């Protein structure tokens, strides 16, 4: 069975067929830019472009991540970094129709990344409380207790300095404000300290594209009691986790 994973982000939509035995991409991923405004129809077209790129590997099932709360594997409840017209949309029905009736599974993007990291990556075999945080256009979160996901935590929207934390400490915030690695690490440190106070994790896994550059900022973060490690699947974790969700549906 050919399972695809597609990861919808605030800046890009990327996907590939996934080898679920290895927990890795079966082919090099394809990426298109997220349309602006990122309306349901526009984003669905982007997802179709990604799938159609792999003309030699027609999927049997597709797992798709969404940057917001998704309930019941279908209904979008929040849309911080895409168009607000997504709210209350049945994303599963919309995307399945766009893909010609293919079976589709939809879940929160950070939750998908977390599931992949807990099974194949930095969280493999870890018990207790583990928190994966994805830093990108926003900050996504996936919370695990004894290996079990607590879905849709959305801890990037905690208040920090009077604003959503992701407005202060996301990768986009670093780029928008032209912050040095030291300056950005200080913001991330404040955010991690706040989350640690609330959740007391034994392990933080830092994901998203920025995980490829973990050596530039993780050593600068001080005073956090929990272990902090970069995601092993890096920015492919969401794709792999989406495919895992589709295979289990």
């Amino acid at each position: 069975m050919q399972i695809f994973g597609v990861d919808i982000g605030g800046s890009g939509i990327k996907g590939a067929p996934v080898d679920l035995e290895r927990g890795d991409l079966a082919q090099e991923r394809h990426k298109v830019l997220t349309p602006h405004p990122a309306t349901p129809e526009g984003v669905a077209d982007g997802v179709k472009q990604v799938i159609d790129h792999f003309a030699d590997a027609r999927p049997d099932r597709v797992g798709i991540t969404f940057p917001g709360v998704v309930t019941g594997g279908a209904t979008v409840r929040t849309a911080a970094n895409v168009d607000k017209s997504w709210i209350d949309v049945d994303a599963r029905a919309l995307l399945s129709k766009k893909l010609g009736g293919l079976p589709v599974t939809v879940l929160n993007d950070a939750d998908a990344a977390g599931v992949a990291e807990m099974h194949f990556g930095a969280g493999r075999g870890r018990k207790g409380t583990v928190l994966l945080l994805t830093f990108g256009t926003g900050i996504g979160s996936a919370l695990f207790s004894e290996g079990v996901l607590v879905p849709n935590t959305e801890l990037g929207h905690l208040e920090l300095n009077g604003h959503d934390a992701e407005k202060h400490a996301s990768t986009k915030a670093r780029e928008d404000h032209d912050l040095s690695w030291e300056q950005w690490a200080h913001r991330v440190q404040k955010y991690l300290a706040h989350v640690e106070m609330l959740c007391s994790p034994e392990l933080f896994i830092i994901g998203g594209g920025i995980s490829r550059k973990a050596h530039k900022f993780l050593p600068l973060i001080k005073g956090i009691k929990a272990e902090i490690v970069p995601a092993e699947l890096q920015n492919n974790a969401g794709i792999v986790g989406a495919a895992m969700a589709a295979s289990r549906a």
Side-chain angles (χ1 to χ4, degrees):
M1 180 177 286
Q2 188 78 268
I3 309 291
F4 273 55
V6 178
D7 192 8
I8 297 171
S11 60
I13 303 168
K14 53 189 181 292
V18 175
D19 182 338
L20 291 174
E21 293 294 321
R22 297 186 299 114
D24 200 359
L25 308 188
Q27 296 186 42
E28 184 176 350
R29 73 187 190 191
H30 182 64
K31 181 177 180 178
V32 301
L33 295 178
T34 302
H36 292 285
T39 61
E41 191 65 28
V43 171
D45 284 338
V47 170
K48 186 175 187 300
Q49 288 177 45
V50 170
I51 298 295
D52 288 349
H53 173 79
F54 299 94
D56 60 336
R58 182 67 179 168
D60 297 294
R61 303 189 69 89
V62 183
I64 302 173
T65 79
F66 184 81
V69 171
V70 180
T71 57
T75 305
V76 173
R77 296 301 186 196
T78 66
N81 293 305
V82 290
D83 195 79
K84 301 301 183 192
S85 58
W86 271 102
I87 295 174
D88 293 331
V89 166
D90 185 335
R92 180 170 57 196
L94 169 70
L95 292 163
S96 178
K97 182 178 179 181
K98 180 63 68 172
L99 297 177
L102 279 173
V104 166
T105 302
V106 185
L107 71 164
N108 174 266
D109 54 352
D111 286 350
V115 166
E117 284 292 330
M118 291 297 288
H119 192 78
F120 292 110
R124 187 172 54 250
R126 296 295 294 257
K127 298 298 182 182
T129 303
V130 177
L131 183 60
L132 174 130
L133 297 167
T134 57
F135 289 81
T137 304
I139 299 175
S141 62
L143 180 65
F144 294 84
S145 176
E146 302 299 334
V148 178
L149 173 68
V150 180
N152 291 314
T153 49
E154 291 288 275
L155 298 179
H157 299 295
L158 291 171
E159 184 177 319
L160 191 66
N161 292 347
H163 302 281
D164 270 11
E166 67 179 22
K167 303 297 184 185
H168 183 74
S170 65
T171 302
K172 185 177 187 297
R174 184 182 75 86
E175 295 167 352
D176 287 349
H177 298 288
D178 195 25
L179 301 173
S180 68
W181 288 110
E182 290 82 3
Q183 290 170 320
W184 187 63
H186 179 66
R187 292 189 178 199
V188 173
Q189 177 180 303
K190 288 180 67 176
Y191 172 63
L192 293 181
H194 187 51
V195 174
E196 185 170 57
M197 176 189 67
L198 295 172
C199 301
S200 301
E202 282 84 16
L203 175 67
F204 281 115
I205 302 173
I206 305 302
I210 201 71
S211 60
R212 295 191 300 269
K213 301 178 181 179
H215 62 285
K216 293 188 175 183
F217 66 93
L218 284 190
L220 303 174
I221 295 174
K222 309 295 182 184
I224 304 300
K225 296 180 177 64
E227 182 183 358
I228 310 172
V229 299
E232 292 181 10
L233 279 65
Q234 298 183 348
N235 213 20
N236 290 335
I239 297 173
V240 173
M244 290 174 66
S247 73
R248 296 170 178 174

